[in-house]
């Protein structure tokens, strides 16, 4: 008799999955490894220590919350040793894809015997819209579950390899990956491209996401910070970020705005957006990591779509 374990991308989908009454236990992966420093050895003491330090410093996550929400769930995953079928529920966006890589890397080390399969939402119809798991109907979810993709050994090792590169101190090796379509990860290539665009551009020292925030502020002139956040969230491409992540980004870009109610860019903000001046002079915290790489040690050339090391 084979037994099942489901690993989901977050609490809201776990609630939804529980209502589908599928066989097996459910574990929620509560992390956001797309932000802050990451180490390759997922689940090790040094890995969790590094993650807690980042979340505590930048999101005021307390030790008790981190233990209760993230570590307890992780320990529960460690204790699920009997299941020989593991189903991963993740989405197309950068947030989910990076978490997915980390989970697969952990499974490769700790659950070598298990069959790992993937349910991944994204393009679900003939439109260009990308769907989250929670946007799908019960019928669609069950259909995806019944047709889930069983990952072969090559897929699993490739995911682990991409994770190692994501955690390395040089994103140029990630940029040189071109063989995504040889594996069963339909959205990983786009997610990695999006990740690389998070390094500051040569043109003005802001990355794609930060430029997008300024552009929305200038063009849409939102009436309040709430409107502003909602507009950014619904026009963020495939980052998959939440409002807390954008709140932090707005805090970082504060010198480029004169007001948030209504939203108005400062003279400097407009000049940076128009590439007349560079944001580099405003950077106060150089200790910002994207995976294993320091964000401000690299530049992204938007003309050639290539990364340069400073």
């Amino acid at each position: 008799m084979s037994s099942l374990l489901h690993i989901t991308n977050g609490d809201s989908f776990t609630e939804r999955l529980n209502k589908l009454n599928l066989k097996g236990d459910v574990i929620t992966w509560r992390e956001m490894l797309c932000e802050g420093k990451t180490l390759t050895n997922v689940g090790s003491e040094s890995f969790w220590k590094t993650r807690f330090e980042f979340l505590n410093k930048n999101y005021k996550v307390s030790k008790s919350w981190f233990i209760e929400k993230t570590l307890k769930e992780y320990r529960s995953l460690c204790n699920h040793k009997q299941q020989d079928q593991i189903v991963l529920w993740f989405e197309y966006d950068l947030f989910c894809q990076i978490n997915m890589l980390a989970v697969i890397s952990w499974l490769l080390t700790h659950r070598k015997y298990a069959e790992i399969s993937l349910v991944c939402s994204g393009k679900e119809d003939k439109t260009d819209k990308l769907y989250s798991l929670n946007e799908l109907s019960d019928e669609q979810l069950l259909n995806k579950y019944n047709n889930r993709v069983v990952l072969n050994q090559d897929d699993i090792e490739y995911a682990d390899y991409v994770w190692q590169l994501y955690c390395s101190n040089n994103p140029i090796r990630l940029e040189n990956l071109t063989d995504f379509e040889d594996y069963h990860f339909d959205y990983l290539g786009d997610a990695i491209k999006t990740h690389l665009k998070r390094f500051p551009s040569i043109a003005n020292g802001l990355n794609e996401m930060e430029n997008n925030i300024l552009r929305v502020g200038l063009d849409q002139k939102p009436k309040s910070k709430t409107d502003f956040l909602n507009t950014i969230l619904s026009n963020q491409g495939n980052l998959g970020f939440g409002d807390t992540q954008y709140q932090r980004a707005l805090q970082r870009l504060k010198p480029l705005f004169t007001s948030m109610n209504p939203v108005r860019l400062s003279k400097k903000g407009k000049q940076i957006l128009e590439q007349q001046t560079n944001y580099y002079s405003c950077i106060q915290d150089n200790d910002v990591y994207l995976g294993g790489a320091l964000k401000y040690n690299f530049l992204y050339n938007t003309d050639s779509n290539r990364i340069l090391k400073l």
Side-chain angles (χ1 to χ4, degrees):
M1 240 331 247
S2 65
S3 56
L4 264 164
L5 176 67
H6 302 271
I7 303 176
T8 74
N9 65 335
D11 290 292
S12 63
F13 184 69
T14 294
E15 277 178 43
R16 180 81 192 282
L17 189 61
N18 284 328
K19 288 176 188 157
L20 289 178
N21 294 321
L22 294 174
K23 280 189 185 128
D25 294 340
V26 182
I27 299 276
T28 309
W29 183 258
R30 293 197 186 103
E31 247 292 8
M32 43 183 273
L33 299 169
C34 58
E35 276 209 296
K37 189 171 188 180
T38 57
L39 303 180
T40 53
N41 50 348
V42 180
S44 66
E45 201 175 320
S46 56
F47 175 86
W48 289 125
K49 184 174 181 288
T50 300
R51 293 307 299 161
F52 172 69
E53 283 168 1
F54 165 75
L55 293 165
N56 177 257
K57 179 187 167 188
N58 295 286
Y59 289 98
K60 306 289 177 274
V61 169
S62 68
K63 200 161 212 169
S64 57
W65 192 96
F66 188 69
I67 290 168
E68 188 59 37
K69 294 289 184 184
T70 302
L71 289 187
K72 267 197 181 171
E73 202 71 355
Y74 170 69
R75 284 181 194 134
S76 175
L77 172 61
C78 295
N79 292 333
H80 280 77
K81 293 187 173 120
Q82 306 311 317
Q83 285 87 348
D84 50 10
Q85 287 191 306
I86 298 171
V87 185
L88 308 180
W89 297 80
F90 286 91
E91 292 166 11
Y92 64 88
D93 56 59
L94 174 74
F95 189 109
C96 265
Q97 292 287 303
I98 298 297
N99 282 343
M100 176 193 79
L101 293 176
V103 171
I104 295 173
S105 178
W106 185 87
L107 291 171
L108 176 64
T109 307
H110 300 279
R111 297 290 181 272
K112 281 197 186 310
Y113 54 83
E115 177 196 273
I116 302 166
S117 56
L118 180 61
V119 181
C120 191
S121 70
K123 269 183 96 69
E124 305 299 330
D125 53 32
K126 291 190 169 71
T127 68
D128 285 335
K129 180 174 163 54
L130 291 159
Y131 291 83
S132 69
L133 288 165
N134 268 328
E135 288 178 298
L136 303 183
S137 67
D138 288 358
E139 190 185 353
Q140 284 174 303
L141 287 173
L142 289 169
N143 188 36
K144 284 190 93 64
Y145 173 69
N146 291 326
N147 294 293
R148 61 193 182 275
V149 176
V150 176
L151 301 179
N152 61 38
Q153 194 59 27
D154 286 348
D155 295 326
I156 293 163
E157 285 174 8
Y158 186 69
D160 177 60
Y161 175 62
V162 180
W163 171 249
Q164 308 292 323
L165 293 187
Y166 178 78
C167 296
S168 78
N169 63 5
N170 189 342
I172 292 170
R173 290 168 65 204
L174 260 186
E175 180 184 70
N176 292 328
L177 284 179
T178 53
D179 52 352
F180 292 105
E181 57 283 343
D182 297 344
Y183 302 92
H184 289 111
F185 303 108
D186 294 346
Y187 304 101
L188 186 55
D190 284 344
I192 294 301
K193 276 184 196 149
T194 298
H195 165 61
L196 295 171
K197 288 176 185 173
R198 295 194 295 162
F199 290 93
S201 72
I202 292 174
N204 67 358
L206 289 180
N207 66 20
E208 186 173 77
M209 171 186 137
E210 292 156 345
N211 273 303
N212 186 44
I213 289 172
L214 291 192
R215 207 171 292 113
V216 169
L218 186 67
D219 295 348
Q220 310 276 337
K221 298 185 173 50
K223 292 185 169 51
S224 67
K225 190 177 179 182
T226 308
D227 284 353
F228 193 22
L229 276 170
N230 289 338
T231 308
I232 297 166
L233 283 165
S234 54
N235 293 284
Q236 62 166 325
N238 67 336
L239 283 166
F241 285 4
D243 52 358
T244 48
Q245 288 170 291
Y246 276 107
Q247 294 267 18
R248 181 167 163 249
L250 285 178
Q251 190 58 36
R252 203 166 57 234
L253 298 172
K254 211 173 169 184
L256 307 184
F257 292 90
T258 54
S259 149
M260 280 291 164
N261 289 305
V263 175
R264 294 291 180 265
L265 262 66
S266 65
K267 186 181 172 191
K268 183 158 198 172
K270 287 177 186 166
Q271 286 173 336
I272 287 172
L273 191 55
E274 287 158 10
Q275 299 178 5
Q276 293 166 2
T277 183
N278 207 298
Y279 180 72
Y280 253 82
S281 57
C282 306
I283 295 162
Q284 279 140 13
D285 182 9
N286 189 27
D287 192 32
V288 180
Y289 279 88
L290 298 172
L294 280 163
K295 176 178 172 180
Y296 294 108
N297 279 6
F298 298 88
L299 287 173
Y300 187 81
N301 185 337
T302 44
D303 294 331
S304 64
N305 294 324
R306 302 295 289 178
I307 294 251
L308 303 169
K309 189 172 183 352
L310 280 177

